[in-house]
Amino acid sequence: MANFILILICLLAGQLLRKVSSFPKDGHKALNIFIIYIALPAVAFRYVPLIEWSASIVWPFLSQFLVFGIALIAVWIFSKIKPIDTTTRGALLLTMGLSNTSFVGFPLVETWYGSDAIKIALLSDQGAFFVLSILGIGYATWYAEGYVSVRYLMKRIITFPPFIAFLIAISISHMPLPAWWNTLMEKLSAPLVPLALVSVSLQISFKEPFDRWSELGYALMVKLLLAPAVVMVLLSLLTNLTSLYYKITVFEAAMAPMVTSYVVASQFRLNSGLAGYIVGIGILLSLLTTAGWYWVLENILTT
């Protein structure tokens, strides 16, 4: 209960800070710098050594690619039902295909499954990062410019601090570390949850006029309900869903759209207004839908 209250307080705090005139309009950027360069690497150093290396770890990673594939099909189907322009296609693809596995995902995973499950959520987050860096940016570039820069995509991957930390954490996972190391990483990673939630809330705005309700409803249905349902069905056919690995895989697939999908949509001149509404409302709705997915995973699939 305390974690759930923390989520609500941090989201409310972000909205209240938006109304404080002395608070910088781009204040979330400073929070994001700390999160990306300090907190997320600390999470990797703290939890990667705890990962039990087996075939099970593949699913949390690959599931994020599956979610993006579902989004591709969903955009194609919607465009056949209702003609939409290229910028709207791009916005729909990014918001349906990219999951908020860390900024929103980590707090919700910790709330429902405890801190031990973060090591599995971290695998989903790495998958989401690769989907964003390769497919997300790639398709955004294609929709905006008509071409894709492979060099730019590779540079994004190899220079992303959490990914570098993830690789280093793997390389030192079997090395003896001093007693103070875990304590240090725990302290550095502790601010991740509140800062990430405040940062997300600071970027949510509903001030722009809006008339794309069919696109909004369709995107949220696909992202919050259909995509995790498909992941769940496939995993139930291929694996044993009673394992915590597979529960967290489905749970992370059910996360709200990634905030970065809105940022990318804005950067590449896609339909950022639509993307902003999908992300903002999606985050709020996900507090309810993820509770529903937790109930399904714990009460139906384990009986």
Side-chain angles (χ1 to χ4, degrees), residues 45 112 131 136 146 156 183 208 241 243 270 273 298-299:
F45 287 124
W112 292 107
V131 173
R156 277 184 55 89
T183 302
E208 296 183 30
L241 264 174
S243 167
L270 303 178
E298 293 299 314
N299 295 281

Side-chain angles (χ1 to χ4, degrees), residues 97-119:
L98 298 174
S99 302
N100 204 321
T101 51
S102 56
F103 281 30
V104 174
F106 286 175
L108 287 176
V109 167
E110 184 175 0
T111 296
W112 292 107
Y113 287 99
S115 58
D116 288 343
I118 296 295
K119 64 184 180 183

Side-chain angles (χ1 to χ4, degrees), residues 59 232-240 246:
W59 297 108
M232 180 183 67
V233 170
L234 288 179
L235 289 181
S236 65
L237 294 174
L238 299 174
T239 61
N240 177 10
Y246 306 132

Side-chain angles (χ1 to χ4, degrees), residues 10-296:
C10 290
L11 291 176
L12 177 61
Q15 288 299 299
L16 292 176
L17 286 172
R18 287 175 59 89
K19 301 181 183 299
V20 177
S21 58
S22 59
F23 190 84
K25 291 184 178 180
D26 58 352
H28 65 276
K29 293 182 179 179
L31 300 181
N32 290 348
I33 288 174
F34 180 87
I35 291 167
I36 291 173
Y37 284 86
I38 304 296
L40 282 175
V43 168
F45 287 124
R46 181 182 176 187
Y47 289 106
V48 166
L50 303 178
I51 295 175
E52 300 173 2
W53 297 96
S54 66
S56 297
I57 68 173
V58 174
W59 297 108
F61 184 87
L62 293 182
S63 65
Q64 296 302 317
F65 286 86
L66 176 58
V67 169
F68 196 88
I70 294 168
L72 277 170
I73 297 172
V75 170
W76 179 80
I77 292 174
F78 189 84
S79 66
K80 296 299 181 182
I81 299 173
K82 179 181 179 179
I84 52 177
D85 57 35
T86 300
T87 62
T88 299
R89 288 187 184 187
L92 286 174
L93 178 60
L94 291 173
T95 51
M96 288 191 292
L98 298 174
S99 302
N100 204 321
T101 51
S102 56
F103 281 30
V104 174
F106 286 175
L108 287 176
V109 167
E110 184 175 0
T111 296
W112 292 107
Y113 287 99
S115 58
D116 288 343
I118 296 295
K119 64 184 180 183
I120 306 173
L122 188 62
L123 297 171
S124 290
D125 188 52
Q126 289 299 313
F129 162 66
F130 271 86
V131 173
L132 166 65
S133 298
I134 299 175
L135 299 178
I137 299 297
Y139 272 96
T141 305
W142 178 264
Y143 280 124
E145 309 292 346
Y147 70 93
V148 178
S149 173
V150 176
R151 181 180 179 180
Y152 174 70
L153 299 182
M154 292 301 101
K155 182 180 178 180
R156 277 184 55 89
I157 293 174
I158 63 177
T159 59
F160 190 57
F163 178 65
I164 296 172
F166 185 80
L167 295 180
I168 296 175
I170 292 175
S171 66
I172 66 174
S173 60
H174 297 293
M175 296 174 56
L177 297 172
W180 51 263
W181 176 258
N182 285 336
T183 302
L184 176 62
M185 293 303 105
E186 181 180 356
K187 299 296 184 183
L188 290 175
S189 62
L192 171 64
V193 171
L195 290 184
L197 290 170
V198 171
S199 174
V200 166
S201 184
L202 284 169
Q203 297 173 75
I204 297 176
S205 175
F206 301 106
K207 291 184 178 180
E208 296 183 30
F210 189 74
D211 61 355
R212 297 274 190 161
W213 297 107
S214 60
E215 288 89 340
L216 172 67
Y218 183 80
L220 293 177
M221 178 193 69
V222 171
K223 183 67 196 74
L224 300 179
L225 300 176
L226 179 61
V230 172
V231 172
M232 180 183 67
V233 170
L234 288 179
L235 289 181
S236 65
L237 294 174
L238 299 174
T239 61
N240 177 10
L241 264 174
T242 59
S243 167
L244 183 61
Y245 271 89
Y246 306 132
K247 290 179 182 180
I248 300 304
T249 297
V250 175
F251 197 71
E252 282 280 41
M255 286 301 152
M258 187 184 290
V259 175
T260 310
S261 64
Y262 166 72
V263 177
V264 173
S266 300
Q267 180 181 355
F268 287 91
R269 302 182 301 280
L270 303 178
N271 192 333
S272 59
L274 173 62
Y277 267 80
I278 293 174
V279 169
I281 296 177
I283 289 173
L284 298 177
L285 280 180
S286 69
L287 299 179
L288 298 175
T289 56
T290 51
W293 280 111
Y294 174 81
W295 184 87
V296 169

